[in-house]
Amino acid sequence: MDGGNQSTVSEFVFLGLVHSWSIQVLLFIVFLMLYLIIVSGNIVILTLILTDPHLHSPMYFFLAILSFVDMWLSSVTTPKMIADFLRENKTISFAGCMCQILFVHLIAGSEMVLLVVMAYDRYVAICKPLHYSTIMSLQRCFGLVLTSWTAGFVHAMSQMAVIVQLPFCGPREIDSFFCDIPLVIKLACMDSSNLGIVMNADSGIVAVTCFILLLISYTYILLTVRQSSKTGASKALSTCSAHVTVVMIFFLPCIFIYVWPLNITWLDKFLAVFYSVFTPLLNPAIYTLRNKEMKSAMKRFRNYYMNSKGNT
């Protein structure tokens, strides 16, 4: 197509999750409550880890970073989705759409690598306990977190370097509630089928590589501990069960979106909602309800608050 005859698209239109006004009002209430729970739940985890000396260890340092990342992962798309439930015209500017793509892939890519870092931390703690404090020093922990953010940034920029160069001149309806690369690429004024495969492969390689590393790590942890003690496997499983649960919840939607897309509209929307809303919602619940130290920290914080309130 002749570039001189193209007009630049200044905004995109979301078709949203549903078309019924009454259902949209109901979803507005539901997702608003869920988002408030996500933010408050992750803030509680951050507060407990920062204020409780018993939680000043590498594992909880990484958990605090994960809570921070989850909170922002949901905040990139969920507030816009909630506001759009009450809007007839669900539009987003071109710049806003590009920002959503950038931050979704930056934060999601960082979280994938962070989960691998958390698996490495558990490996050192369980398989090399005598060297744990030496290996997982504060400097090493900060370095690993910086590595996760760097990896996410590189991944996001590799996506953005391509997407911002595409010509958008006509179609502007996105059958979802946020801008994601597979849907945006389809709107480009060019044959984007091969490009879509390449871009999905970029995201898929990151997701599958991290997922395989995580499976290998936790399998190796169980096998190593089982060889040293009969009860070791159950203890390791108890320690790592929360991590494994989070890994499965986070990676499975990514795999079905980017690696093995089913191209079923309602399922794609469900996976997108699960990925951006329910994963950040479930992480705090999993880590607090299945972790004895976090439960104890919550009791200490509650008792301290009640005592302080009683003395005033």
Side-chain angles (χ1 to χ4, degrees):
M1 182 179 295
D2 184 7
N5 294 329
Q6 294 183 11
S7 59
T8 303
V9 171
S10 60
E11 64 180 16
F12 296 101
V13 178
F14 294 136
L15 299 184
L17 296 179
V18 295
H19 299 292
S20 169
W21 173 251
S22 58
I23 296 179
Q24 288 191 71
V25 173
L26 175 62
L27 291 178
F28 168 81
I29 298 172
V30 171
F31 281 104
L32 177 61
M33 295 301 297
L34 291 177
Y35 180 67
L36 293 176
I37 293 172
I38 289 170
V39 174
S40 59
N42 283 292
I43 288 177
V44 166
I45 290 180
L46 284 167
T47 303
L48 289 175
I49 293 174
L50 290 174
T51 59
D52 194 321
H54 297 85
L55 301 181
H56 291 174
S57 66
M59 183 180 79
Y60 293 104
F61 170 74
F62 294 131
L63 176 56
I65 301 297
L66 179 65
S67 294
F68 177 79
V69 170
D70 274 335
M71 189 164 53
W72 284 106
L73 178 62
S74 180
S75 297
V76 172
T77 59
T78 306
K80 169 67 175 169
M81 176 184 69
I82 293 171
D84 281 347
F85 282 133
L86 301 182
R87 293 173 180 166
E88 183 176 353
N89 297 319
K90 302 172 175 54
T91 61
I92 185 172
S93 66
F94 180 85
C97 184
M98 295 301 105
C99 285
Q100 278 195 341
I101 292 174
L102 172 64
F103 286 107
V104 164
H105 285 267
L106 168 63
I107 298 171
S110 300
E111 181 163 345
M112 289 180 186
V113 180
L114 180 62
L115 290 171
V116 176
V117 169
M118 294 176 73
Y120 173 71
D121 172 71
R122 290 300 83 206
Y123 160 75
V124 176
I126 294 172
C127 300
K128 299 183 178 181
L130 298 179
H131 303 284
Y132 180 70
S133 59
T134 303
I135 297 175
M136 300 304 296
S137 62
L138 183 61
Q139 183 178 2
R140 175 70 61 83
C141 291
F142 277 112
L144 291 171
V145 171
L146 180 60
T147 299
S148 71
W149 280 103
T150 302
F153 177 78
V154 171
H155 166 66
M157 293 308 296
S158 69
Q159 302 273 312
M160 291 301 298
V162 176
I163 199 77
V164 296
Q165 300 296 326
L166 295 179
F168 296 99
C169 58
R172 61 193 189 104
E173 290 186 343
I174 299 176
D175 194 4
S176 185
F177 62 92
F178 78 105
C179 290
D180 199 10
I181 285 180
L183 299 176
V184 174
I185 285 179
K186 293 179 180 179
L187 302 181
C189 299
M190 56 177 287
D191 183 5
S192 59
S193 56
N194 291 332
L195 179 60
I197 294 174
V198 172
M199 298 294 279
N200 279 350
D202 184 2
S203 298
I205 288 173
V206 176
V208 171
T209 300
C210 291
F211 188 62
I212 291 175
L213 287 174
L214 287 164
L215 291 179
I216 293 173
S217 299
Y218 287 117
T219 301
Y220 186 76
I221 289 172
L222 292 176
L223 293 176
T224 301
V225 178
R226 175 172 290 181
Q227 292 174 358
S228 61
S229 135
K230 292 183 179 179
T231 59
S234 60
K235 291 181 180 179
L237 182 60
S238 176
T239 304
C240 299
S241 59
H243 294 254
V244 174
T245 304
V246 168
V247 166
M248 299 304 293
I249 290 174
F250 183 80
F251 277 93
L252 289 182
C254 293
I255 290 174
F256 281 109
I257 291 174
Y258 297 108
V259 182
W260 190 14
L262 301 176
N263 295 321
I264 303 175
T265 301
W266 70 266
L267 183 58
D268 289 340
K269 291 182 179 181
F270 170 78
L271 291 173
V273 170
F274 193 92
Y275 176 77
S276 59
V277 177
F278 289 101
T279 297
L281 175 69
L282 291 173
N283 283 359
I286 291 169
Y287 279 112
T288 53
L289 297 178
R290 302 187 65 175
N291 188 297
K292 292 181 180 180
E293 292 187 24
M294 287 296 295
K295 290 181 182 179
S296 300
M298 292 181 68
K299 290 180 181 178
R300 288 192 293 269
F301 184 81
R302 185 172 62 250
N303 292 337
Y304 174 80
Y305 175 78
M306 295 300 294
N307 292 335
S308 299
K309 189 176 180 180
N311 293 332
T312 56

